Amino acid sequence: MTGPFRYTSPEPPKSATGEVADVYAQLATDFGIKDATTFVVLSASPTLLTATWALMRESLLAGRASRTGKELVAAGVSLANRCPFCATAHAVLLHATGEHRLAETVLRGDVPEDPGDRRLLAWGKDMSAPQPFPAHEADEYVGTALAFHFINRVVSSLLSEQMLPGGAERYRLVRSTAGRSLAATVRRDLRPGASLPLLGTTGEAPPWAAASPVGTAYGALRTAAYQGAGLLSDEDAASVRESVAGWDGVTPLPLDARLPDRADRPGARLALLAARAPYRITDEDVAAWRVPPFTDHCLVHLIAFGAICAVERVEAVVRATDGERA
């Protein structure tokens, strides 16, 4: 493996056309990070790329809720999912909001001093807890959390753990400097819904965000990600769904958990690991499944299928908790 991409070879962003080029252009303007590998890795599937970008943009970047608060939730999700790439990225973005001490506190795994910050970080780690934000901001906070439950799994499955060349992100000065370079972008007010014209799929919006751009983007991502089920037999796709349905949405997959056999059911194994423990995917797991005619497009869709199964399970936990609050 060379570079950030473990198992795929995306086309260079400068050669992108159509909706992929449109996403890269909006990403550079609204996110402030040109050619972000988190999204480039999905470029083999324009429908997945556009839907993932739309959900992140409409929940985390646009809207009324505090960007710092949403970054805390995203950091909590990333820490719970053992995604060091994403946890570091959110520390950088907390630096960008001006919360330099908070950024380093979160990345160290320490508890924030402010009670409100503590509650948001804790909810990101365990979304079965009561929601620590007003109901009218639920679409943004829940959308942010679910976006990163999906993105964490894509990143852990398909990217290296290093966010910057040479692992430079391990230095506090580098993180702080990178955050300061994004400060102006992070503090911009973005128009909600600007990503929706890019979407190549549609889907049913969830009740918690039905009338918002977040709901439209979430429905599109579910539709795009579920296309990956077609890469498995009906029996294997059902077994992945059943395994994830029995999960509590929080507890890591036990090391001794029984997994589908790599030799006989490599696709089911990959999808289930993407859902429950993407950081445990090995070169051997991918090589056992990635044989002709499967391509980069197929691999990102298989990983996306496992990821969206996990996202839907977490969403069900959130709905149950919200029902109890109501």
Side-chain angles (χ1 to χ4, degrees), residues 3-256:
F5 305 105
R6 295 177 68 190
Y7 305 118
T8 61
S9 300
E11 292 292 326
K14 64 182 180 182
S15 66
T17 59
E19 62 260 57
V20 174
D22 291 340
V23 168
Y24 290 161
Q26 196 173 76
L27 186 87
T29 300
D30 291 356
F31 194 35
I33 302 175
K34 185 181 178 183
D35 304 341
T37 54
T38 308
F39 295 96
V40 174
V41 74
L42 291 171
S43 60
S45 170
T47 56
L48 277 174
L49 171 64
T50 56
T52 304
W53 162 245
L55 181 57
M56 192 193 81
R57 183 197 184 276
E58 301 305 332
S59 58
L60 177 65
L61 308 187
R64 309 167 301 277
S66 160
R67 177 67 183 268
T68 297
K70 290 186 287 188
E71 289 291 350
L72 278 168
V73 165
V77 171
S78 300
L79 290 166
N81 286 334
R82 305 183 186 185
C83 184
F85 181 111
C86 292
T88 303
H90 293 298
V92 168
L93 290 165
L94 281 167
H95 276 292
T97 70
E99 295 286 353
H100 304 293
R101 183 176 181 181
L102 179 61
E104 295 303 311
T105 296
V106 169
L107 192 59
R108 285 195 307 269
D110 293 340
V111 177
E113 293 181 359
D114 180 80
D117 292 343
R118 285 202 301 271
R119 287 192 292 271
L120 287 167
L121 182 66
W123 184 80
K125 292 179 179 179
D126 181 356
M127 292 165 64
S128 67
Q131 295 177 4
F133 41 78
H136 69 273
E137 294 179 346
D139 60 330
E140 295 178 41
Y141 278 107
V142 174
T144 293
L146 296 181
F148 283 96
H149 269 291
F150 185 82
I151 290 170
N152 288 170
R153 287 166 167 81
V154 170
V155 167
S156 292
S157 298
L158 300 176
L159 295 179
S160 72
E161 292 187 355
Q162 293 185 355
M163 193 184 80
L164 297 173
E169 71 279 356
R170 66 183 180 273
Y171 300 110
R172 176 173 181 160
L173 178 60
V174 172
R175 294 191 295 270
S176 175
T177 302
R180 291 175 194 275
S181 73
L182 296 169
T185 303
V186 164
R187 293 167 185 171
R188 287 176 55 215
D189 288 329
L190 299 181
R191 178 173 62 86
S195 68
L196 302 187
L198 302 176
L199 291 173
T201 56
T202 59
E204 183 179 355
W208 50 265
S212 75
V214 176
T216 301
Y218 182 77
L221 181 58
R222 284 176 52 193
T223 298
Y226 257 97
Q227 292 174 11
L231 294 162
L232 300 174
S233 68
D234 291 345
E235 180 182 1
D236 277 351
S239 73
V240 172
R241 293 189 189 98
E242 289 168 6
S243 175
V244 177
W247 173 49
D248 64 4
V250 179
T251 305
L253 183 71
L255 290 174
D256 60 354

Side-chain angles (χ1 to χ4, degrees), residues 270-281:
L270 261 183
L272 183 56
L273 282 171
R276 297 286 310 275
Y279 44 84
R280 285 172 52 184
I281 290 175

